[in-house]
Amino acid sequence: MEMILNENDIVVGAKFDNGTIQDYVDDAKTYGLIRVEDTTANWFLYNDLDSPEEMKAFYKKVKKEEHFIKNDFGEEIVLFNKNGTMSFEELTKKIDSYLDDEVMSSIY
């Protein structure tokens, strides 16, 4: 996975063999976009204890639509607006891998 950096050398996404992932694609910096083969979906991380009120309202809105949530001990990966054939589960594996790589690169 090749990290994409902004002009300040901060990780803002990644390229991998069959797709890309971006941290933020909206002006409010609320959610990102993942593209894998023929599938796209929006995604964000959510933690009920630490999220600001605006994010909590957005989370409630997304939960009323088609969505998928993977809970990793309180930190949730939320996917929505999925188009394509890849499953939500496969998409969350790619996001998990991206987040693991991002954490490791920030340590070194």
Side-chain angles (χ1 to χ4, degrees), residues 21-35:
I21 186 168
Q22 295 170 267
D23 289 341
Y24 301 113
V25 295
D26 67 318
D27 292 336
K29 295 189 176 187
T30 308
Y31 58 87
L33 176 70
I34 184 166
R35 290 184 183 110

Side-chain angles (χ1 to χ4, degrees), residues 77-93:
I77 298 173
V78 182
L79 289 137
F80 64 106
N81 289 342
K82 183 177 91 66
N83 291 301
T85 59
M86 187 167 284
S87 70
F88 279 117
E89 290 83 0
E90 287 298 314
L91 291 171
T92 58
K93 286 179 188 176

Side-chain angles (χ1 to χ4, degrees), residues 11-23:
V11 175
V12 294
K15 295 178 187 178
F16 42 92
D17 56 350
N18 57 350
T20 60
I21 186 168
Q22 295 170 267
D23 289 341

Side-chain angles (χ1 to χ4, degrees), residues 15-100:
K15 295 178 187 178
F16 42 92
D17 56 350
N18 57 350
T20 60
I21 186 168
Q22 295 170 267
D23 289 341
Y24 301 113
V25 295
D26 67 318
D27 292 336
K29 295 189 176 187
T30 308
Y31 58 87
L33 176 70
I34 184 166
R35 290 184 183 110
V36 182
E37 296 172 2
D38 71 338
T39 304
T40 63
N42 293 113
W43 72 281
F44 62 94
L45 296 177
Y46 180 79
N47 181 316
D48 195 52
L49 296 175
D50 297 331
S51 294
E53 290 305 314
E54 302 85 32
M55 195 66 187
K56 289 179 181 183
F58 183 68
Y59 177 78
K60 288 179 184 175
K61 178 184 175 228
V62 166
K63 284 183 67 175
K64 292 178 184 176
E65 303 166 2
E66 182 184 5
H67 68 282
F68 178 82
I69 297 173
K70 179 184 178 214
N71 192 331
D72 281 338
F73 308 104
E75 180 98 298
E76 297 178 355
I77 298 173
V78 182
L79 289 137
F80 64 106
N81 289 342
K82 183 177 91 66
N83 291 301
T85 59
M86 187 167 284
S87 70
F88 279 117
E89 290 83 0
E90 287 298 314
L91 291 171
T92 58
K93 286 179 188 176
K94 291 285 190 184
I95 294 170
D96 270 337
S97 177
Y98 166 66
L99 295 173
D100 289 346

